[in-house]
Amino acid sequence: ESGLEELMPRLLPVGDCDLAEDFDPTVPPRTPQEYLKRVQIEAARCPDVVVAQIDPRKLKKKPTVNISISGCQPAPEGYSPTLKWQQQQVANFSAVRQSLNKHRNHWRSQHLDSNVTMPKSEDEEGWKKFCLGERVYSEIDALPDNENLGIDYMKVGFPPLLSIVSRMNQATVTSVLEYLISWFGEKKFTPELGRWLYALLACLEKPLLPEAHSLIRQLARRCSEVRALEVRFYIVQRTW
C-alpha cells in the first residue's frame, strides 16, 4: 500500500465518511461523501497490474499517412510522370532532408557574408524580396547590362544556402513557405521560387504540423493548375 501511495499519491486526503446505514454504492450518489466513498470502492476493485493484449501481427505492418490532395487537377493524358521518375524524386528529396538534418548544426555555426541580412519572421514583404530578388518581386523583365548579377543578391535574390536555411527555426520555415506559396498563387513560376520552395520543404521537420500539411496541399493544387495551363498553352502553340 505504501509503494502504491508513492506511485499514485492522493490528490486530496479523504478520511472515513459518516454514511447512512442504508448506503448503496450501486445507486447514483446523493451527497459529496457518498460520491467519494463510491470512488474509493471502485478504485479498490481495480487490479494492481493490467496487461494489454497486443496482436504482434499488427506491429509488422508499416504505418501509413494519408494526405488528401483534393482539388488537384489530374495530369493531362500523356503528361503524367512515370512511377519510376516519382520514386527517384522521392529518394532524392529524402536524401537531401537527411543530409540537411545531419549537418544543420555545422552550417548554422558558419558566418554569413556581411551583405546577408535575414528579415524577421513576420516580415512577409522582406522575405519575398530576400528570396526572389528585386527583379522578380518588382516584375522587371530585365536589369541593365551594367549590373553585376553575380554579386548584387538584393536584385537577383539570395539562394537558399545551407548557412541561411539552417538558421531558420520551424516557425520561420513555415512562415516563409506560406509567403512564397501565397505569392505563387497569384504570380508565375520562376527558378528562384522553385529553389526556395524545394529548400523550405526539405527543412520541415517531422511530425508535420497541421499548418505544414495545409501548405503542402495548397502548393500541390497550385502546381496542378500551372501544369494544366502550361499543357494547354503548348497545345495551342502547336495548333498555330
Side-chain angles (χ1 to χ4, degrees):
E1 175 121 358
S2 60
L4 182 61
E5 189 71 24
E6 292 179 2
L7 293 175
M8 301 178 61
R10 296 181 182 181
L11 183 61
L12 294 173
V14 180
D16 295 334
C17 300
D18 295 331
L19 301 175
E21 295 181 357
D22 60 346
F23 169 69
D24 185 358
T26 61
V27 301
R30 295 167 296 181
T31 65
Q33 290 78 12
E34 289 185 358
Y35 171 77
L36 293 175
K37 187 60 177 180
R38 183 174 178 178
V39 171
Q40 288 179 324
I41 294 174
E42 291 177 353
R45 292 174 180 172
C46 294
D48 295 335
V49 179
V50 178
V51 180
Q53 300 298 327
I54 300 176
D55 187 354
R57 294 173 297 179
K58 295 182 179 180
L59 298 178
K60 296 181 181 180
K61 297 180 180 179
K62 293 184 178 180
T64 57
V65 178
N66 296 321
I67 300 179
S68 173
I69 52 174
S70 60
C72 288
Q73 299 185 25
E77 184 177 355
Y79 289 89
S80 179
T82 64
L83 178 60
K84 181 178 180 181
W85 183 90
Q86 295 179 57
Q87 293 174 338
Q88 184 61 52
Q89 301 309 310
V90 171
N92 293 342
F93 182 76
S94 178
V96 170
R97 288 191 71 259
Q98 293 179 13
S99 178
L100 179 61
N101 290 331
K102 182 178 180 181
H103 302 289
R104 188 187 301 273
N105 291 334
H106 166 75
W107 287 105
R108 185 182 296 158
S109 64
Q110 301 302 306
H111 294 290
L112 293 176
D113 292 339
S114 57
N115 64 331
V116 181
T117 302
M118 297 173 61
K120 295 183 179 180
S121 179
E122 64 276 9
D123 185 2
E124 180 174 354
E125 300 306 313
W127 274 110
K128 289 176 182 177
K129 294 179 182 179
F130 182 87
C131 299
L132 305 176
E134 288 287 350
R135 179 177 63 85
V136 174
Y137 180 81
S138 302
E139 298 184 287
I140 301 174
D141 293 334
L143 292 173
D145 294 335
N146 59 353
E147 294 285 355
N148 191 336
L149 301 183
I151 297 178
D152 196 345
Y153 287 112
M154 292 303 298
K155 296 193 182 308
V156 299
F158 287 91
L161 303 174
L162 289 173
S163 56
I164 293 177
V165 297
S166 295
R167 282 176 163 78
M168 301 168 64
N169 57 33
Q170 287 299 288
T172 302
V173 170
T174 304
S175 295
V176 178
L177 189 59
E178 181 180 2
Y179 302 152
L180 296 183
I181 292 176
S182 176
W183 169 276
F184 186 32
E186 301 175 357
K187 308 293 183 179
K188 63 181 181 180
F189 181 84
T190 64
E192 296 86 353
L193 177 64
R195 285 191 289 266
W196 269 99
L197 289 175
Y198 192 93
L200 293 171
L201 290 173
C203 288
L204 289 175
E205 297 178 357
K206 296 181 179 179
L208 295 179
L209 297 175
E211 294 84 353
H213 279 285
S214 178
L215 289 172
I216 292 173
R217 287 193 293 266
Q218 183 179 344
L219 177 59
R221 287 192 292 267
R222 176 56 178 159
C223 288
S224 70
E225 294 174 1
V226 172
R227 177 178 57 186
L229 290 173
E230 290 292 332
V231 171
R232 293 194 195 108
F233 179 73
Y234 175 73
I235 294 175
V236 170
Q237 278 190 321
R238 292 191 60 182
T239 57
W240 282 93

